[in-house]
Amino acid sequence: MSDVLLFHHALGLTDGVVAFADELRSAGHTVTTPDLFDGTTFDDVNDGVAHAGELGFGTIAESGAAHADGLGDRLVVAGFSLGVMPAQLLAQTRPGVVGAIFYHGAAPLEAFGDGTWPTGVALQYHFCEDDPWAEEDLPAAREIAGAVGGDLFVYPGSGHLVADPGSPDHDPLIAARILERTLTFLDARR
């Protein structure tokens, strides 16, 4: 069993994010899903991103990272799109993180900590190849995964939140493959 801290995307802590977390729980993992928007959810990614901008992206990353307090010393951090920010902050700065899974988002290493990827923290990315939200993120993910030996999985299509069963972008086939690869990653971190 792995301890997972899973951060939601710009739509908020939706039923789809909770359903994904429940799939991980069903496989025997402990999953914490903090609500970075205090119960607010959105139907449109643009509206959620605007809300996040009002809160401040740095504030979201830092408040998200605070949710790791009291969690174990073999933690896997994960995030969907916007949720990559607090997950990556933790991956790069918190002792005891053993793995990071980033769905549909990436940030340059220089955005957090000393700008390096810590030794011993496994990394996995998931993107759709023509996702318009990933125009800048996918090249960053390619560079980082190549530099640190992380796994980068790129799926066909242009959907963004394809792993979220409540999202209009949901793709059941891609979501199943993402879940399978996520569970393999988590099983290796037990």
Side-chain angles (χ1 to χ4, degrees):
M1 169 176 60
S2 292
D3 289 322
V4 181
L5 181 57
L6 176 65
F7 295 101
H8 63 75
H9 44 59
L11 298 180
L13 185 58
T14 62
D15 291 343
V17 172
V18 173
F20 187 88
D22 286 343
E23 291 281 352
L24 304 181
R25 291 180 184 111
S26 293
H29 303 286
T30 302
V31 184
T32 302
T33 52
D35 187 347
L36 305 176
F37 287 175
D38 296 322
T40 302
T41 59
F42 298 91
D43 294 326
D44 181 86
V45 173
N46 292 308
D47 294 339
V49 170
H51 177 71
E54 291 171 13
L55 295 174
F57 294 107
T59 300
I60 289 171
E62 290 173 18
S63 68
H67 287 280
D69 293 347
L71 296 179
D73 63 351
R74 291 196 48 77
L75 184 64
V76 174
V77 293
F80 287 101
S81 192
L82 175 73
V84 167
M85 289 189 316
Q88 188 168 332
L89 171 63
L90 286 166
Q92 288 185 237
T93 63
R94 183 186 189 269
V97 171
V98 296
I101 308 170
F102 302 147
Y103 307 100
H104 329 303
L109 290 177
E110 300 78 36
F112 304 107
D114 65 3
T116 64
W117 192 259
T119 302
V121 177
L123 175 62
Q124 188 178 82
Y125 284 106
H126 298 271
F127 282 94
C128 282
E129 62 188 345
D130 295 318
D131 175 0
W133 284 97
E135 285 182 10
E136 295 175 13
D137 293 11
L138 184 53
R142 285 188 206 295
E143 181 180 328
I144 295 166
V148 306
D151 292 322
L152 171 62
F153 298 105
V154 180
Y155 306 91
S158 60
H160 183 54
L161 303 175
V162 295
D164 177 342
S167 165
D169 288 341
H170 180 247
D171 183 307
L173 296 176
I174 294 173
R177 192 70 174 126
I178 289 172
L179 179 62
E180 175 188 335
R181 288 173 166 159
T182 296
L183 292 174
T184 298
F185 183 92
L186 294 177
D187 288 345
R189 313 271 102 57
R190 288 181 188 250

